[in-house]
Amino acid sequence: MEFVVKGRNAEISDRFRNHVEEKLEKIEQFAPRAQRVDVELTHEPNPAQVERAERIEITVRDKGPVIRAEASSADQYSALDLAIQKLFEQLRRAHERKKDRRRRRGVEPTPEELNVDALLASIHFDDTDQAEGNSDAASLKAPTKPGETVETQLGDSPVLVRQKLYEAKPMTVDQALYEMELVGHAFYLFIDEETKQPCVAYRRHGWTYGVIRLNAVTGDFGPAAE
């Protein structure tokens, strides 16, 4: 497994690099298909953010979905410990979901899965952060009426999430670009008239544009609101 440790606005010492690899060496045991682990340290120079000045983001690149965890703290070692704790918790939950699916199909656990169970059982997990995150997510109530705006603060953090519900009717890409230019935005969310896919049109350079599509088909649309 390859470890890549890099910094953004931060110097990475050999000592810290070695510490990262030692801390993450267990990943290979319960994620044997993982090919690479990226660790990025970002330093926040703003004095007002001194208690969260060091942010660690860990990305495990597997043959399946990418697994990512991040955390911030006053120093890089504390931030690393927090991020690793979250990462191991995500890996544990992913492993449990996989076991449940196999159990429902009547498939017995493999020796490899039993070894992973034993390894994960030996790791202490603190569910405090996870529980708080779930509570924050649950508190993000979406607006239910067109034009309604809902603002929610995430726990005790300064993060404020603003949600607004808009009327939408399917349109062509040309129409979406026209609407985007009319409102003067750099992007525009719409439903493609032909494919019924959720899309985002965005401005690139000069007179070039891009469109991002989600591989999901929405339900039937009723008459467009006047």
mmCIF file of all heavy atoms in Angstrom, residues 27-58:
data_model
loop_
_atom_site.group_PDB
_atom_site.id
_atom_site.type_symbol
_atom_site.label_atom_id
_atom_site.label_comp_id
_atom_site.label_asym_id
_atom_site.label_seq_id
_atom_site.Cartn_x
_atom_site.Cartn_y
_atom_site.Cartn_z
ATOM 1 N N ILE A 27 -4.646 -0.124 8.425
ATOM 2 C CA ILE A 27 -5.649 -0.028 7.363
ATOM 3 C C ILE A 27 -5.568 -1.213 6.418
ATOM 4 O O ILE A 27 -6.580 -1.778 5.997
ATOM 5 C CB ILE A 27 -5.483 1.298 6.583
ATOM 6 C CG1 ILE A 27 -5.949 2.470 7.435
ATOM 7 C CG2 ILE A 27 -6.275 1.268 5.282
ATOM 8 C CD1 ILE A 27 -5.813 3.806 6.762
ATOM 9 N N GLU A 28 -4.361 -1.620 6.091
ATOM 10 C CA GLU A 28 -4.174 -2.707 5.129
ATOM 11 C C GLU A 28 -4.782 -4.010 5.627
ATOM 12 O O GLU A 28 -5.175 -4.863 4.825
ATOM 13 C CB GLU A 28 -2.686 -2.896 4.847
ATOM 14 C CG GLU A 28 -2.407 -3.797 3.658
ATOM 15 C CD GLU A 28 -0.959 -3.748 3.229
ATOM 16 O OE1 GLU A 28 -0.138 -3.179 3.979
ATOM 17 O OE2 GLU A 28 -0.649 -4.275 2.147
ATOM 18 N N GLN A 29 -4.888 -4.157 6.954
ATOM 19 C CA GLN A 29 -5.409 -5.407 7.506
ATOM 20 C C GLN A 29 -6.917 -5.533 7.339
ATOM 21 O O GLN A 29 -7.428 -6.629 7.129
ATOM 22 C CB GLN A 29 -5.040 -5.506 8.991
ATOM 23 C CG GLN A 29 -3.534 -5.516 9.238
ATOM 24 C CD GLN A 29 -3.208 -5.582 10.719
ATOM 25 O OE1 GLN A 29 -3.721 -6.424 11.433
ATOM 26 N NE2 GLN A 29 -2.344 -4.690 11.179
ATOM 27 N N PHE A 30 -7.654 -4.431 7.470
ATOM 28 C CA PHE A 30 -9.103 -4.558 7.290
ATOM 29 C C PHE A 30 -9.598 -3.871 6.033
ATOM 30 O O PHE A 30 -10.800 -3.766 5.808
ATOM 31 C CB PHE A 30 -9.870 -4.048 8.523
ATOM 32 C CG PHE A 30 -9.507 -2.679 8.998
ATOM 33 C CD1 PHE A 30 -10.002 -1.564 8.380
ATOM 34 C CD2 PHE A 30 -8.667 -2.527 10.070
ATOM 35 C CE1 PHE A 30 -9.681 -0.300 8.834
ATOM 36 C CE2 PHE A 30 -8.344 -1.265 10.540
ATOM 37 C CZ PHE A 30 -8.852 -0.148 9.924
ATOM 38 N N ALA A 31 -8.690 -3.377 5.197
ATOM 39 C CA ALA A 31 -9.049 -2.893 3.861
ATOM 40 C C ALA A 31 -7.977 -3.405 2.903
ATOM 41 O O ALA A 31 -7.201 -2.636 2.335
ATOM 42 C CB ALA A 31 -9.138 -1.374 3.825
ATOM 43 N N PRO A 32 -7.902 -4.729 2.729
ATOM 44 C CA PRO A 32 -6.815 -5.323 1.954
ATOM 45 C C PRO A 32 -6.782 -4.910 0.488
ATOM 46 O O PRO A 32 -5.753 -5.019 -0.163
ATOM 47 C CB PRO A 32 -7.074 -6.837 2.095
ATOM 48 C CG PRO A 32 -8.525 -6.946 2.422
ATOM 49 C CD PRO A 32 -8.850 -5.739 3.236
ATOM 50 N N ARG A 33 -7.899 -4.423 -0.023
ATOM 51 C CA ARG A 33 -7.926 -4.010 -1.427
ATOM 52 C C ARG A 33 -7.474 -2.563 -1.626
ATOM 53 O O ARG A 33 -7.331 -2.098 -2.753
ATOM 54 C CB ARG A 33 -9.335 -4.177 -2.002
ATOM 55 C CG ARG A 33 -9.832 -5.613 -2.041
ATOM 56 C CD ARG A 33 -11.132 -5.713 -2.800
ATOM 57 N NE ARG A 33 -12.146 -4.815 -2.252
ATOM 58 C CZ ARG A 33 -13.301 -4.533 -2.848
ATOM 59 N NH1 ARG A 33 -13.570 -5.074 -4.022
ATOM 60 N NH2 ARG A 33 -14.181 -3.724 -2.294
ATOM 61 N N ALA A 34 -7.281 -1.850 -0.519
ATOM 62 C CA ALA A 34 -6.838 -0.457 -0.623
ATOM 63 C C ALA A 34 -5.462 -0.395 -1.270
ATOM 64 O O ALA A 34 -4.563 -1.147 -0.914
ATOM 65 C CB ALA A 34 -6.819 0.186 0.755
ATOM 66 N N GLN A 35 -5.305 0.493 -2.221
ATOM 67 C CA GLN A 35 -4.060 0.605 -2.968
ATOM 68 C C GLN A 35 -3.242 1.825 -2.565
ATOM 69 O O GLN A 35 -2.032 1.835 -2.705
ATOM 70 C CB GLN A 35 -4.362 0.670 -4.471
ATOM 71 C CG GLN A 35 -5.115 -0.554 -4.975
ATOM 72 C CD GLN A 35 -5.581 -0.387 -6.410
ATOM 73 O OE1 GLN A 35 -5.760 0.727 -6.897
ATOM 74 N NE2 GLN A 35 -5.787 -1.495 -7.091
ATOM 75 N N ARG A 36 -3.922 2.835 -2.033
ATOM 76 C CA ARG A 36 -3.217 4.073 -1.715
ATOM 77 C C ARG A 36 -3.973 4.841 -0.642
ATOM 78 O O ARG A 36 -5.203 4.835 -0.614
ATOM 79 C CB ARG A 36 -3.076 4.919 -2.983
ATOM 80 C CG ARG A 36 -2.590 6.346 -2.772
ATOM 81 C CD ARG A 36 -2.299 6.993 -4.091
ATOM 82 N NE ARG A 36 -2.254 8.452 -3.996
ATOM 83 C CZ ARG A 36 -1.776 9.251 -4.926
ATOM 84 N NH1 ARG A 36 -1.281 8.738 -6.036
ATOM 85 N NH2 ARG A 36 -1.790 10.554 -4.772
ATOM 86 N N VAL A 37 -3.221 5.498 0.230
ATOM 87 C CA VAL A 37 -3.809 6.362 1.263
ATOM 88 C C VAL A 37 -3.182 7.741 1.129
ATOM 89 O O VAL A 37 -1.966 7.896 1.213
ATOM 90 C CB VAL A 37 -3.560 5.808 2.676
ATOM 91 C CG1 VAL A 37 -4.162 6.757 3.718
ATOM 92 C CG2 VAL A 37 -4.149 4.415 2.831
ATOM 93 N N ASP A 38 -4.033 8.746 0.870
ATOM 94 C CA ASP A 38 -3.574 10.130 0.776
ATOM 95 C C ASP A 38 -3.868 10.850 2.082
ATOM 96 O O ASP A 38 -5.005 10.797 2.589
ATOM 97 C CB ASP A 38 -4.286 10.858 -0.370
ATOM 98 C CG ASP A 38 -3.861 10.347 -1.727
ATOM 99 O OD1 ASP A 38 -2.668 10.038 -1.885
ATOM 100 O OD2 ASP A 38 -4.715 10.251 -2.625
ATOM 101 N N VAL A 39 -2.866 11.526 2.625
ATOM 102 C CA VAL A 39 -3.030 12.316 3.838
ATOM 103 C C VAL A 39 -2.595 13.740 3.530
ATOM 104 O O VAL A 39 -1.457 13.967 3.116
ATOM 105 C CB VAL A 39 -2.191 11.743 5.003
ATOM 106 C CG1 VAL A 39 -2.371 12.609 6.251
ATOM 107 C CG2 VAL A 39 -2.572 10.307 5.287
ATOM 108 N N GLU A 40 -3.509 14.678 3.699
ATOM 109 C CA GLU A 40 -3.197 16.077 3.409
ATOM 110 C C GLU A 40 -3.351 16.920 4.673
ATOM 111 O O GLU A 40 -4.405 16.908 5.316
ATOM 112 C CB GLU A 40 -4.109 16.621 2.313
ATOM 113 C CG GLU A 40 -3.807 18.067 1.943
ATOM 114 C CD GLU A 40 -4.599 18.551 0.748
ATOM 115 O OE1 GLU A 40 -4.145 18.356 -0.389
ATOM 116 O OE2 GLU A 40 -5.691 19.100 0.958
ATOM 117 N N LEU A 41 -2.300 17.639 5.006
ATOM 118 C CA LEU A 41 -2.317 18.552 6.142
ATOM 119 C C LEU A 41 -2.450 19.977 5.624
ATOM 120 O O LEU A 41 -1.663 20.410 4.783
ATOM 121 C CB LEU A 41 -1.032 18.409 6.956
ATOM 122 C CG LEU A 41 -0.765 19.488 8.009
ATOM 123 C CD1 LEU A 41 -1.819 19.436 9.112
ATOM 124 C CD2 LEU A 41 0.640 19.329 8.594
ATOM 125 N N THR A 42 -3.447 20.693 6.119
ATOM 126 C CA THR A 42 -3.668 22.087 5.727
ATOM 127 C C THR A 42 -3.552 22.978 6.955
ATOM 128 O O THR A 42 -4.198 22.718 7.975
ATOM 129 C CB THR A 42 -5.059 22.272 5.095
ATOM 130 O OG1 THR A 42 -5.184 21.411 3.963
ATOM 131 C CG2 THR A 42 -5.257 23.716 4.651
ATOM 132 N N HIS A 43 -2.719 24.013 6.843
ATOM 133 C CA HIS A 43 -2.559 24.953 7.945
ATOM 134 C C HIS A 43 -3.398 26.194 7.680
ATOM 135 O O HIS A 43 -3.329 26.787 6.606
ATOM 136 C CB HIS A 43 -1.093 25.357 8.105
ATOM 137 C CG HIS A 43 -0.878 26.434 9.128
ATOM 138 N ND1 HIS A 43 -1.026 26.223 10.476
ATOM 139 C CD2 HIS A 43 -0.532 27.751 8.987
ATOM 140 C CE1 HIS A 43 -0.786 27.352 11.125
ATOM 141 N NE2 HIS A 43 -0.484 28.299 10.245
ATOM 142 N N GLU A 44 -4.196 26.587 8.671
ATOM 143 C CA GLU A 44 -5.023 27.790 8.581
ATOM 144 C C GLU A 44 -4.281 28.930 9.282
ATOM 145 O O GLU A 44 -4.115 28.917 10.498
ATOM 146 C CB GLU A 44 -6.380 27.546 9.244
ATOM 147 C CG GLU A 44 -7.240 28.775 9.386
ATOM 148 C CD GLU A 44 -7.474 29.487 8.080
ATOM 149 O OE1 GLU A 44 -8.054 28.864 7.174
ATOM 150 O OE2 GLU A 44 -7.051 30.665 7.965
ATOM 151 N N PRO A 45 -3.812 29.928 8.529
ATOM 152 C CA PRO A 45 -3.020 31.011 9.130
ATOM 153 C C PRO A 45 -3.826 32.048 9.904
ATOM 154 O O PRO A 45 -3.250 32.876 10.604
ATOM 155 C CB PRO A 45 -2.343 31.654 7.916
ATOM 156 C CG PRO A 45 -3.275 31.378 6.783
ATOM 157 C CD PRO A 45 -3.903 30.046 7.066
ATOM 158 N N ASN A 46 -5.150 32.012 9.780
ATOM 159 C CA ASN A 46 -5.994 33.001 10.449
ATOM 160 C C ASN A 46 -5.889 32.842 11.971
ATOM 161 O O ASN A 46 -6.251 31.793 12.520
ATOM 162 C CB ASN A 46 -7.448 32.825 10.014
ATOM 163 C CG ASN A 46 -8.348 33.920 10.564
ATOM 164 O OD1 ASN A 46 -7.949 34.714 11.409
ATOM 165 N ND2 ASN A 46 -9.586 33.956 10.077
ATOM 166 N N PRO A 47 -5.416 33.853 12.699
ATOM 167 C CA PRO A 47 -5.283 33.750 14.161
ATOM 168 C C PRO A 47 -6.600 33.455 14.867
ATOM 169 O O PRO A 47 -6.608 32.867 15.950
ATOM 170 C CB PRO A 47 -4.740 35.129 14.567
ATOM 171 C CG PRO A 47 -4.109 35.667 13.327
ATOM 172 C CD PRO A 47 -4.936 35.145 12.195
ATOM 173 N N ALA A 48 -7.701 33.836 14.277
ATOM 174 C CA ALA A 48 -9.007 33.595 14.894
ATOM 175 C C ALA A 48 -9.374 32.114 14.871
ATOM 176 O O ALA A 48 -10.285 31.686 15.585
ATOM 177 C CB ALA A 48 -10.082 34.410 14.180
ATOM 178 N N GLN A 49 -8.672 31.332 14.044
ATOM 179 C CA GLN A 49 -8.950 29.907 13.923
ATOM 180 C C GLN A 49 -7.855 29.057 14.558
ATOM 181 O O GLN A 49 -7.633 27.922 14.163
ATOM 182 C CB GLN A 49 -9.104 29.535 12.440
ATOM 183 C CG GLN A 49 -10.188 30.274 11.701
ATOM 184 C CD GLN A 49 -11.572 29.837 12.143
ATOM 185 O OE1 GLN A 49 -11.773 28.700 12.544
ATOM 186 N NE2 GLN A 49 -12.531 30.744 12.071
ATOM 187 N N VAL A 50 -7.179 29.606 15.563
ATOM 188 C CA VAL A 50 -6.016 28.925 16.123
ATOM 189 C C VAL A 50 -6.365 27.560 16.703
ATOM 190 O O VAL A 50 -5.550 26.619 16.653
ATOM 191 C CB VAL A 50 -5.341 29.818 17.194
ATOM 192 C CG1 VAL A 50 -6.277 30.058 18.376
ATOM 193 C CG2 VAL A 50 -4.031 29.207 17.664
ATOM 194 N N GLU A 51 -7.571 27.413 17.256
ATOM 195 C CA GLU A 51 -7.949 26.132 17.844
ATOM 196 C C GLU A 51 -8.247 25.076 16.791
ATOM 197 O O GLU A 51 -8.332 23.892 17.116
ATOM 198 C CB GLU A 51 -9.160 26.312 18.757
ATOM 199 C CG GLU A 51 -8.874 27.162 19.992
ATOM 200 C CD GLU A 51 -10.061 27.236 20.923
ATOM 201 O OE1 GLU A 51 -11.119 26.658 20.577
ATOM 202 O OE2 GLU A 51 -9.936 27.863 21.995
ATOM 203 N N ARG A 52 -8.397 25.494 15.548
ATOM 204 C CA ARG A 52 -8.646 24.559 14.429
ATOM 205 C C ARG A 52 -7.672 24.839 13.297
ATOM 206 O O ARG A 52 -8.000 24.689 12.132
ATOM 207 C CB ARG A 52 -10.092 24.706 13.948
ATOM 208 C CG ARG A 52 -11.138 24.475 15.020
ATOM 209 C CD ARG A 52 -12.529 24.829 14.540
ATOM 210 N NE ARG A 52 -12.940 24.001 13.417
ATOM 211 C CZ ARG A 52 -13.527 22.818 13.539
ATOM 212 N NH1 ARG A 52 -13.748 22.323 14.750
ATOM 213 N NH2 ARG A 52 -13.890 22.128 12.498
ATOM 214 N N ALA A 53 -6.470 25.238 13.665
ATOM 215 C CA ALA A 53 -5.494 25.703 12.678
ATOM 216 C C ALA A 53 -4.946 24.581 11.805
ATOM 217 O O ALA A 53 -4.483 24.828 10.695
ATOM 218 C CB ALA A 53 -4.344 26.419 13.379
ATOM 219 N N GLU A 54 -4.956 23.351 12.308
ATOM 220 C CA GLU A 54 -4.401 22.236 11.550
ATOM 221 C C GLU A 54 -5.528 21.286 11.150
ATOM 222 O O GLU A 54 -6.237 20.750 12.006
ATOM 223 C CB GLU A 54 -3.356 21.484 12.376
ATOM 224 C CG GLU A 54 -2.279 22.366 12.974
ATOM 225 C CD GLU A 54 -1.412 23.057 11.926
ATOM 226 O OE1 GLU A 54 -1.331 22.555 10.788
ATOM 227 O OE2 GLU A 54 -0.833 24.102 12.246
ATOM 228 N N ARG A 55 -5.693 21.106 9.844
ATOM 229 C CA ARG A 55 -6.737 20.198 9.355
ATOM 230 C C ARG A 55 -6.107 19.029 8.618
ATOM 231 O O ARG A 55 -5.248 19.202 7.760
ATOM 232 C CB ARG A 55 -7.699 20.929 8.421
ATOM 233 C CG ARG A 55 -8.837 20.029 7.900
ATOM 234 C CD ARG A 55 -9.886 20.840 7.164
ATOM 235 N NE ARG A 55 -9.344 21.428 5.948
ATOM 236 C CZ ARG A 55 -9.317 20.803 4.771
ATOM 237 N NH1 ARG A 55 -9.784 19.571 4.665
ATOM 238 N NH2 ARG A 55 -8.820 21.395 3.709
ATOM 239 N N ILE A 56 -6.539 17.833 8.970
ATOM 240 C CA ILE A 56 -6.049 16.602 8.341
ATOM 241 C C ILE A 56 -7.181 15.965 7.549
ATOM 242 O O ILE A 56 -8.292 15.800 8.058
ATOM 243 C CB ILE A 56 -5.543 15.592 9.396
ATOM 244 C CG1 ILE A 56 -4.286 16.114 10.091
ATOM 245 C CG2 ILE A 56 -5.275 14.231 8.743
ATOM 246 C CD1 ILE A 56 -3.027 16.021 9.243
ATOM 247 N N GLU A 57 -6.903 15.618 6.311
ATOM 248 C CA GLU A 57 -7.861 14.884 5.490
ATOM 249 C C GLU A 57 -7.201 13.576 5.040
ATOM 250 O O GLU A 57 -6.124 13.590 4.455
ATOM 251 C CB GLU A 57 -8.287 15.694 4.271
ATOM 252 C CG GLU A 57 -9.294 14.974 3.380
ATOM 253 C CD GLU A 57 -9.720 15.806 2.189
ATOM 254 O OE1 GLU A 57 -10.449 16.795 2.392
ATOM 255 O OE2 GLU A 57 -9.296 15.482 1.056
ATOM 256 N N ILE A 58 -7.854 12.459 5.342
ATOM 257 C CA ILE A 58 -7.332 11.135 4.984
ATOM 258 C C ILE A 58 -8.264 10.520 3.946
ATOM 259 O O ILE A 58 -9.476 10.459 4.154
ATOM 260 C CB ILE A 58 -7.252 10.209 6.206
ATOM 261 C CG1 ILE A 58 -6.409 10.848 7.317
ATOM 262 C CG2 ILE A 58 -6.648 8.865 5.818
ATOM 263 C CD1 ILE A 58 -6.407 10.055 8.607
#
